[in-house]
Amino acid sequence: MRNLVVMLSLQSELQAVVILSRLCRCHCKTQYELITDHTATRLVLRYQSFTPAGKMSWKTLASNKSILSYQICQSVGATPRSVRISDLYLKVQRKNDDEYERDVSCDSDFMKDNMVQVGQAMREKFQWVDASTPLYLVMDNAGGHGKNDIIEAYRADLWNKFKVKIVHQIPRSPETNLLDLGLWCSLQNHVEKEHRFKTRSNKDALAHSIKAVWESWDASILQKVYDRWVKVLDLIIMDGGNNKMLNSH
C-alpha cells in the first residue's frame, strides 16, 4: 500500500488526503474540523528542510511532480534523503488578496483605541435609557486592561462622552462577579454541547449555536447563580471584607 501511494502523482495524493480528511472529520473533529469546502480547494502538501546555509524553511510540493523528486535535510549538515509521506504536513495555501482574522493582545494600546467604541455600543444597545442617566460597566482588574494612566484616560472618555461609569471589581475576588461565579461556565458548557460536530471555522454557525442556547437556556440557572452571589456578598460582609468564609459555605 505504501509503495502504491508513493507511485501516485502528487495531485492524486492530495485528492486522496482531502477525501480521507472529509471521511475522518465525523470521527476526529479536533484534527479535521477546519477542512471546509473553501479550504479544501487550497490544500497543499509541505515539509520542513534545512537549507545549505543552515536555516529551516518550508517547501511546497508541486502538483505536477512526484514526491520521489524531492529531498529533505532534517538537520544541519545531514545527508539529504527522499521525502516520505510521514514528512508531509497538510496546509492551507494563502493568497495575496486574502483577508484573515488575527488574534490581538488586550493591552494598553488596544484598550485606548477601543473603549470609546464600547461606550458607543452600550448607548446604542440601551437606547431606551435617557442619555443623562448613567450606565455602569463592571470590569475586573486583569492586567490586560491597561496601565493606570490609560485606565484613567478611557474612564474619563466613557463618562464625558457617554455617561458610562466604570466600576472595577474588588481585587482578587472573582466570587463577587456573577460571570466568574458560575454563569459563564454554565453557558459555555451548553454552547459546547450545542456546537459539537459543527464547523467551528464558520463564525455564523457559532453565533447561531450561542443564540440557540441563550433562547432555550433555563432561566432558573441564572436565579441560582444570583442567589449564590447574594450569599457570597453576605459572607464577605460578615467576614469583615475577607473571603475566607466562602470555602466553608
Side-chain angles (χ1 to χ4, degrees), residues 226-244:
Y226 176 79
D227 292 341
R228 173 60 182 168
W229 179 64
V230 173
K231 185 176 181 180
V232 164
L233 297 181
D234 288 338
L235 290 171
I236 291 176
I237 293 173
M238 291 172 58
D239 202 20
N242 294 316
N243 58 3
K244 297 179 180 178

Side-chain angles (χ1 to χ4, degrees), residues 29-159:
K29 288 292 295 180
T30 303
Q31 186 172 359
Y32 295 104
E33 64 191 3
L34 295 182
I35 297 181
T36 64
D37 291 336
H38 174 69
T39 56
T41 61
R42 298 188 178 198
L43 293 177
V44 294
L45 294 172
R46 307 186 73 191
Y47 65 95
Q48 286 182 304
S49 180
F50 279 96
T51 66
K55 294 183 178 180
M56 178 70 77
S57 66
W58 282 98
K59 306 292 184 180
T60 302
L61 276 64
S63 59
N64 59 349
K65 295 178 65 176
S66 169
I67 189 175
L68 297 176
S69 62
Y70 290 89
Q71 296 283 304
I72 184 173
C73 187
Q74 291 189 302
S75 61
V76 178
T79 302
R81 63 166 175 78
S82 296
V83 173
R84 302 167 184 162
I85 295 295
S86 58
D87 297 321
L88 301 178
Y89 293 85
L90 193 62
K91 298 288 186 178
V92 177
Q93 192 171 42
R94 295 185 176 184
K95 297 182 179 180
N96 292 334
D97 58 346
D98 283 343
E99 294 183 359
Y100 299 92
E101 292 185 2
R102 184 177 64 180
D103 290 336
V104 296
S105 297
C106 187
D107 53 17
S108 291
D109 291 336
F110 179 85
M111 298 296 287
K112 180 176 62 176
D113 295 338
N114 290 277
M115 286 304 289
V116 170
Q117 299 178 34
V118 172
Q120 181 178 353
M122 289 179 65
R123 278 300 172 187
E124 291 175 355
K125 292 297 182 181
F126 293 92
Q127 77 276 4
W128 64 86
V129 179
D130 188 82
S132 61
T133 302
L135 297 178
Y136 295 90
L137 175 61
V138 179
M139 296 175 56
D140 60 23
N141 295 276
H145 290 167
K147 299 179 180 178
N148 291 336
D149 58 330
I150 298 298
I151 294 175
E152 291 305 317
Y154 65 68
R155 183 202 297 271
D157 277 344
L158 288 179
W159 178 253

